[in-house]
């Protein structure tokens, strides 16, 4: 399938009266002439895009009334030249969106982790810090207590999701 469309010609892309008059392959800059004779250049590498005025009112090619020794008049534009910051503004918006997305992802991941609150054990019970690989049955077996008494002393303890670093109270025997 061809990429050509009816909008790929200079007539469709350029303002009325503007015509392309040259191309510099070394700098990749296209040169255009306006209806009043002023010369415009494209940004390097852009065939169309934003044009910058180079000079004003050059005579048309083949104009015999023009004196060849007269230098072309330079453009006196009131617009200050655009800086690199102006050209990078769309990237700023993109980085802002990516930064906000990453901030949301980290906030969501950080909020998903459950904070372990310190547990204070009652009289006749001993605190035990949960290590990786521990289970309720293994803790009860190691300390010589039944699983039922361990669960009674630790109300709300979920044996399927023991928090590593959390504390369980071991009932006294």
């Amino acid at each position: 399938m061809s990429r050509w469309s009816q909008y790929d010609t200079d007539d469709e892309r350029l303002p009325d009266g503007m015509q392309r008059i040259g191309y510099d392959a070394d700098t990749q800059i296209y040169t255009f002439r306006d209806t009043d004779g002023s010369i415009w250049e494209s940004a390097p590498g852009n065939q169309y895009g934003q044009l910058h005025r180079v000079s004003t009112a050059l005579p048309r090619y083949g104009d015999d009334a023009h004196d060849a020794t007269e230098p072309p008049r330079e453009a006196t534009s009131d617009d200050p030249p655009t800086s690199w910051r102006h050209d990078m503004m769309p990237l700023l918006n993109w980085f802002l969106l990516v930064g906000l997305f990453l901030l949301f992802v980290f906030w969501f991941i950080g909020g998903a982790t459950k904070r372990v609150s310190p547990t204070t054990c009652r009289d006749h019970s001993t605190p035990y810090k949960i290590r990786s690989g521990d289970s309720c049955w293994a803790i009860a077996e190691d300390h010589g207590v039944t699983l039922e008494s361990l669960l009674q002393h630790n109300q709300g303890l979920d044996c399927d999701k023991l928090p590593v670093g959390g504390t369980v109270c071991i009932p006294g025997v």
Side-chain angles (χ1 to χ4, degrees):
M1 182 170 169
S2 172
R3 291 188 49 162
W4 182 86
S5 74
Q6 64 184 4
Y7 301 111
D8 284 344
T9 64
D10 285 347
D11 294 336
E12 299 293 331
R13 298 250 183 177
L14 294 175
D16 290 335
M18 185 81 72
Q19 77 179 62
R20 186 179 354 184
I21 59 172
Y23 174 71
D24 183 2
D26 294 332
T27 60
Q28 297 181 350
I29 293 178
Y30 286 87
T31 308
F32 302 91
R33 182 187 306 264
D34 200 353
T35 54
D36 66 352
S38 58
I39 304 295
W40 297 74
E41 287 184 347
S42 66
N46 291 338
Q47 185 173 3
Y48 298 104
Q50 188 175 8
L51 301 177
H52 302 282
R53 185 182 298 235
V54 178
S55 66
T56 56
L58 286 179
R60 296 245 180 232
Y61 180 74
D63 187 6
D64 295 334
H66 175 67
D67 182 10
T69 60
E70 180 182 328
R73 294 178 302 198
E74 291 299 318
T76 56
S77 175
D78 294 334
D79 299 334
T82 58
S83 69
W84 63 271
R85 291 181 184 149
H86 182 268
D87 295 335
M88 294 297 167
M89 216 40 178
L91 283 177
L92 174 67
N93 295 336
W94 185 82
F95 282 122
L96 183 65
L97 287 175
V98 168
L100 286 174
F101 174 75
L102 290 175
L103 187 65
F104 173 74
V105 166
F106 289 130
W107 173 77
F108 184 74
I109 290 172
T113 58
K114 187 176 180 181
R115 304 281 187 253
V116 178
S117 60
T119 305
T120 55
C121 296
R122 294 178 285 192
D123 293 338
H124 306 295
S125 61
T126 310
Y128 174 76
K129 188 173 182 180
I130 301 171
R131 295 183 301 235
S132 179
D134 280 345
S135 66
C136 290
W137 183 82
I139 294 171
E141 184 75 20
D142 288 345
H143 292 89
V145 294
T146 63
L147 182 59
E148 291 77 24
S149 65
L150 180 69
L151 292 175
Q152 283 177 355
H153 272 72
N154 298 285
Q155 295 294 326
L157 180 65
D158 186 4
C159 288
D160 292 331
K161 298 178 184 175
L162 287 177
V164 175
T167 306
V168 232
C169 295
I170 309 292
V173 185

